[in-house]
Amino acid sequence: MANRKLGLALGGGGARGLAHLGALIALEEAGIEIDAIAGTSMGAVMGAAKAIGADLAKMRVLLRMLDLKDILQVTDSTVRELQKIIGRSVMEYVRGSTWREEDARPHDLARLHELFRLLTAQKRFDETEIPFAVVAADLENGACLVLKDGFLADAVTASTAVPGVFSPVAYDGRLLIDGGVVEKLPVDTAIDMGVEAVIAVDTGAPLDREIGTCLDALLQAQRATSHHLTRIQLERACERLKGRLVIIRPEVGWIRMFGFEHTEAAVEAGEAATRAHLDQIRELLA
């Protein structure tokens, strides 16, 4: 077997991204060693746990026990979330926003940040067992930012700050939001970390959603743009890797972004999809 460095790119997807945990468990059980990890949004959360050497089986049990909707203070209703966004925006227009303050901790992210501190054992990037990078987006200029310094929880929180749902995160003089805006599947970031082959786990939203309202149409337009951008990025990344790219797509398209009541189903889907690709993954290293 060639001594080829293998990277892991874990994408966004909210509750669907919990499938990354299943993928990580399946890779560990198969003895597949990872040399670098790049994560966006929920992929950053799961990737951070793997990077610090967390017990993934225990993490699975913990996430099954937690009421993630309550912790994140979200519902699975698009209409309710939209109402909350409008209400918060009106209040910020009147009172001003606090998230523009340098290194501020918006109260709507407090629980999320504490959860990530727990899952990352309050560790910093330089304490990981596997090189790790988090992708976030600069709200003001649209730049793709790759975070590799400081506390893992701070970077992961920024990468999961879904625009409108959560406040932007003040980070090192910038306002950061969900990395999926610019790189939903961070294969390019993994390549830039020095790997020669990549496993990418895609848990993005599918395009086959029912469209019955103008809001549905708006969300579908955003998904279509994201799919188009991701396809272009993957084609370029595959060329850079000379074809040494395996894309795993767990069957989680039916899970809504905040459908955290389906945690175990998402994890199982990640396991099943990864096991089905093990032969392809081993060929990457041959």
Side-chain angles (χ1 to χ4, degrees):
M1 182 175 290
N3 188 26
R4 188 172 287 148
K5 288 189 176 182
L6 179 62
L8 188 59
L10 305 178
R16 293 184 298 274
L18 293 170
H20 293 312
L21 179 56
L24 292 169
I25 290 171
L27 289 172
E28 277 196 0
E29 291 178 346
I32 305 295
E33 294 188 7
I34 305 298
D35 296 290
I37 304 171
T40 293
S41 198
M42 185 58 80
V45 181
M46 299 295 111
K50 171 64 177 178
I52 66 172
D55 186 320
L56 300 181
K58 288 183 179 178
M59 186 172 175
R60 181 179 195 164
V61 173
L62 173 64
L63 291 176
R64 192 187 303 147
M65 294 171 59
L66 293 175
D67 185 341
L68 291 175
K69 282 189 181 180
D70 181 60
I71 292 173
L72 303 182
Q73 296 178 300
V74 296
T75 69
D76 198 23
S77 168
T78 302
V79 173
R80 288 200 196 106
E81 289 306 313
L82 182 61
Q83 290 172 336
K84 286 165 60 179
I85 291 168
I86 294 172
R88 182 163 59 241
S89 296
V90 170
M91 293 300 295
E92 289 180 341
Y93 178 79
V94 173
R95 298 180 181 177
S97 57
T98 60
W99 43 262
R100 284 187 171 276
E101 298 172 6
E102 180 63 24
D103 295 324
R105 297 276 184 232
H107 81 278
D108 63 317
L109 285 166
R111 289 186 176 187
L112 190 65
H113 188 256
E114 284 305 309
L115 173 62
F116 294 158
R117 278 167 54 87
L118 170 66
L119 296 180
T120 60
Q122 302 184 44
K123 291 190 175 183
R124 303 174 65 92
F125 279 91
D126 57 10
E127 296 178 284
T128 61
E129 297 180 5
I130 301 171
F132 178 58
V134 170
V135 175
D138 187 312
L139 176 62
E140 296 180 303
N141 63 21
C144 177
L145 296 181
V146 179
L147 310 179
K148 296 182 179 180
D149 299 300
F151 284 100
L152 294 169
D154 293 345
V156 170
T157 301
S159 184
T160 54
V162 179
V165 179
F166 299 116
S167 300
V169 175
Y171 189 103
D172 196 23
R174 300 172 182 261
L175 290 173
L176 305 187
I177 57 174
D178 191 327
V181 172
V182 287
E183 195 177 27
K184 188 172 288 292
L185 199 54
V187 179
D188 273 318
T189 298
I191 297 171
D192 291 341
M193 297 173 76
V195 302
E196 302 155 287
V198 173
I199 303 167
V201 185
D202 184 0
T203 56
L207 287 174
D208 59 350
R209 291 289 176 85
E210 182 179 346
I211 303 171
T213 67
C214 286
L215 177 59
D216 292 331
L218 176 63
L219 295 174
Q220 180 74 344
Q222 186 277 328
R223 285 192 288 266
T225 300
S226 177
H227 273 248
H228 183 63
L229 174 62
T230 300
R231 179 180 58 78
I232 293 172
Q233 290 175 336
L234 286 176
E235 288 174 356
R236 181 181 65 185
C238 196
E239 290 179 4
R240 294 180 67 191
L241 290 166
K242 296 181 174 59
R244 293 189 291 266
L245 171 65
V246 170
I247 302 174
I248 300 172
R249 292 188 171 95
E251 294 184 11
V252 291
W254 57 276
I255 300 177
R256 296 284 180 175
M257 176 176 283
F258 298 122
F260 291 106
E261 68 273 22
H262 302 299
T263 293
E264 186 57 26
V267 174
E268 289 176 356
E271 283 183 299
T274 303
R275 288 178 182 138
H277 285 80
L278 286 177
D279 287 343
Q280 286 179 272
I281 292 169
R282 291 190 174 102
E283 287 177 8
L284 290 178
L285 304 174

